[in-house]
Amino acid sequence: MAERPMRMDTNKGLPAMESHRDLHIWIIENLKMVPVPRRAYRNFFEEHCYIVLHVPQSLKATQGASKDLHYWVGKEASRDAEDAAGSFVQHLQEALGGATVQHREAQGHESACFLSYFRRGIIYRKGGLASGLSHVETNMYNIQRLLHIRGRKHVSAAEVELSWNSFNKGDIFLLDLGRMMIQWNGPKTSIAEKARGLALTRSLQDQERGGRAQIGVVDDEAKATDLMQIMEAVLGCRVGNLHATTPTKSINQLQKPSVRLYHVYEKGKDLVVQELATCPLTQDLLQKEDCYILDQGGFKIYVWQGCMSSLQEKKASFRRALGFIQAKGYPSYTNVEVVNDGTESAAFKQLFQSWSGEQGKNKNPRGIGKLLQVKLDVGKLHSQPELAAQLRMVDDGSGEVEVWCIQDLRRQPVDPKHRGQLCAGSCYLVLYTYRNMGHIQYLLYLWQGLQASAQEIKALSSNAEELDLLYHGALVHEHVTMGSEPPHFLAIFQGQLVVFQGSTAHSGKEQLTSATRLFHMRGTDNHNTWTEEVPARASSLNSSDIFLLVTASFCYLWFGKGCSGDQREMARTVVTVISKENKEIVLEGQEPPHFWEALGGRAPYPSNKRLPVDMSGFQPRLFECSSQTGHLVLTEVVFFSQEDLDKYDVMLLDTWQENNQSYEEVVEGSLGAVSAISEITAEINNFQMSRWPVSGRAGPLAQQALKGSEDSSENELELGPKADCGGASTSRSTSTSTSTSTSTSTSSYPSSPRCVSNGGLPREQLMHQAAEDLPEGVDPAHKEFYLSDSDFQDIFGKSKEEFYSMAKWRQQQQKKQLGFF
């Protein structure tokens, strides 16, 4: 059955829309809304205003799914056009209902949400659209224009003056001559920027030239003399040096910590701005009868509308926000987002100390949600891939499992009889082997106990890398923190997962020889049940769950009044893992005196029935990580898909349930030893290239730190090491002014007690070898370098020079495949 168009109030001049489309764009022409042809969706004329409505189709069936409504203002647009766009947005808001987030966008300063709709980039076109003309004319060759291409994840191209004065060193420029398109890459542009610029150029070739225009790329002017002759014929001879890179947004602005909340209202003809609070903000400051402005350090302005605020208050939201921006002296292009009570965006919520909504009132510390109360039908995982993706279940957990415990910083195999018994003071490697479409696949879980030491956590990662070597880089790693185990991790233990306190040996009887112990049991079937030892006191109890109390003389299985039949059935199965003694079942409210004596007496505990929490209501968020300017910047990618995972990117995916390590845990456990960081810092400060670890192996992190280049693109194409047989111990210190050239031209990596670059080492001593098994002086990060030239050519199919000229990620990929990673 065909879907009906969204109902709109035609009396207000609003057009009907097809509900199956996710994106709708209108241009304001003669103060009317005129639909833009779909093929021209990314073209925006500077003298016009546009209205853009996005309805996420993946969320359409979800009750209360929010829509995003933008009005875009060109830098040459008239005030009348902007007022008309604002008026139409208000009418659309009323027609669409309350679950709509409104945005004001200014040319060149659009929000990440807006830019995410246009994966191939945005084209800013000079002038206005004459009535009756098309946004885009295909096969138009009589053209000469210069496009300035900017951006990393979201690319935009603006028409600029056809002159060398428009160029700079840090951006990309496209000289469009109709039948010929020349992309000029600035010397400071990264490889990712070049690739995305070329994608935009190719899309213009397909869309506007029918695929018939020729494309040329100038990466090095000295090597592209023919293309440079064409450019100079059009632009003239270049006089003087190119301009430096023009910054887009400063890091201080992007990550400005100042956040202030204001109550804004009108008193007579005056706009009254009353500051309420600064960080940390609390949710109870927002009263549902009022409207508020949240100022994110001048970078972005939010307007929050209470559900009981008046219609007049809501209609004045944009006007008040613009008045606030003017009063504060902020730029006119400052982004504005209007959110309604109950449909706040994740970006808005994160500015508060905590946020509880309909989905967050009953918190589940483990993040397992409905899996605790509802049986999982694993048979649906293959027939319903969306269910498997939501639960992150690669299969039903019936594959092969091997477990190692990290003891004395080495991995020790765990007896299969005890492989589901973990200790909070230890770390474990859990290797899961399964078949997918006839192929063997491996999933390696790195499980970290909450009481594990920093040394054990670091050893966990290093042992995982060694294990990966044995499997030739075929293992998929997944870090798991105690208390946040994903559903699949629980499923592979078939309901038998028990986490003990401490770090004692893996024997059930040895674990229970001493004091009173209390175990908290949750779950309804073999695929979601887990048991954890908790402090043996009455306050640890919870009426929603089941607990096992074990002492030297008796064993009680306590059923809370809120537990289900499925929970009780699973508990009877799991208790045999912990204790073989006879268990006495105790119902809440009917406990014998010995029960309370063992727990140190009665004490209050949660007695209300815990409702299941549907964690799927929390949407995952994707961020691009960039450090091109010397600072780490996270840029959110909104409405993302697999297409956003580019090979040149480093991305962070926040799935809500599995990113809860503390800052200290991440720093101590994942970012390397403090001693190693101090060593690298000392090397950078002193510029002493010969100062390597005692073992004689050159530290790869230190070498990379000293291997920087002024050209940011060179950081992404790491060249191979150069042998220096005679000067490994010679001091390489130099003055600060010449540090860059010295560090790149005279490095003696890898430093070694003996030179092996001529004859090389036998391949058998290098391939598939763990770090401790390598010959003395061999750097584990560059084992391939120690091959003879003939062996290297035979194994890699190319010379060392060709190999080290490849991108770093390609080098790593090939090394994994061939056993040198």
Side-chain angles (χ1 to χ4, degrees), residues 702-754:
Q703 179 64 23
Q704 292 172 11
L706 292 169
K707 200 178 181 187
S709 169
E710 292 180 355
D711 184 354
S712 61
S713 65
E714 291 181 13
N715 292 333
E716 304 188 35
L717 295 171
E718 180 170 312
L719 299 179
K722 297 181 180 179
D724 185 353
C725 300
S729 62
T730 303
S731 174
R732 297 287 199 273
S733 61
T734 184
S735 64
T736 303
S737 61
T738 60
S739 61
T740 301
S741 60
T742 303
S743 65
T744 56
S745 62
T746 64
S747 72
S748 56
Y749 187 90
S751 179
S752 172
R754 56 195 175 120

Side-chain angles (χ1 to χ4, degrees), residues 516-520 534-549 558 560 588-589 591-607:
T516 300
R517 311 185 80 160
L518 183 65
F519 296 86
H520 185 183
V534 294
R537 50 177 178 259
S539 59
S540 297
L541 300 174
N542 189 309
S543 295
S544 296
D545 296 315
I546 297 173
F547 291 79
L548 177 67
L549 177 61
W558 184 86
E588 182 178 7
E591 301 86 354
H594 290 309
F595 180 89
W596 296 116
E597 291 174 4
L599 294 177
R602 294 176 181 268
Y605 60 85
S607 58

Side-chain angles (χ1 to χ4, degrees), residues 68-187:
D68 288 276
L69 181 60
H70 311 253
Y71 79 90
W72 182 91
V73 182
K75 65 179 183 180
E76 302 295 337
S78 67
R79 185 53 186 263
D80 289 342
E82 182 175 357
D83 290 343
S87 177
F88 280 120
V89 163
Q90 292 299 328
H91 294 328
L92 278 169
Q93 167 74 33
E94 295 173 24
L96 293 168
T100 304
V101 179
Q102 301 175 60
H103 309 259
R104 179 185 179 272
E105 313 282 356
Q107 179 182 341
H109 303 275
E110 294 85 357
S111 64
C113 179
F114 184 88
L115 295 172
S116 68
Y117 309 146
F118 310 98
R119 296 187 183 278
R120 296 180 301 167
I122 292 177
I123 308 294
Y124 303 128
R125 303 186 64 177
K126 283 188 173 297
L129 176 66
S131 181
L133 294 183
S134 171
H135 261 74
V136 176
E137 296 183 20
T138 308
N139 301 333
M140 183 177 64
Y141 296 104
N142 185 23
I143 187 174
Q144 279 193 2
R145 63 176 177 174
L146 181 64
L147 295 178
H148 182 187
I149 301 175
R150 307 180 75 179
R152 286 184 55 83
K153 195 67 184 176
H154 304 297
V155 180
S156 64
E159 291 184 39
V160 294
E161 180 187 358
L162 202 64
S163 166
W164 283 112
N165 293 329
S166 300
F167 286 68
N168 68 64
K169 297 179 181 179
D171 291 325
I172 295 172
F173 293 82
L174 177 63
L175 180 60
D176 186 0
L177 303 176
R179 296 187 181 276
M180 184 70 187
M181 306 173 78
I182 302 176
Q183 177 176 318
W184 182 93
N185 298 327

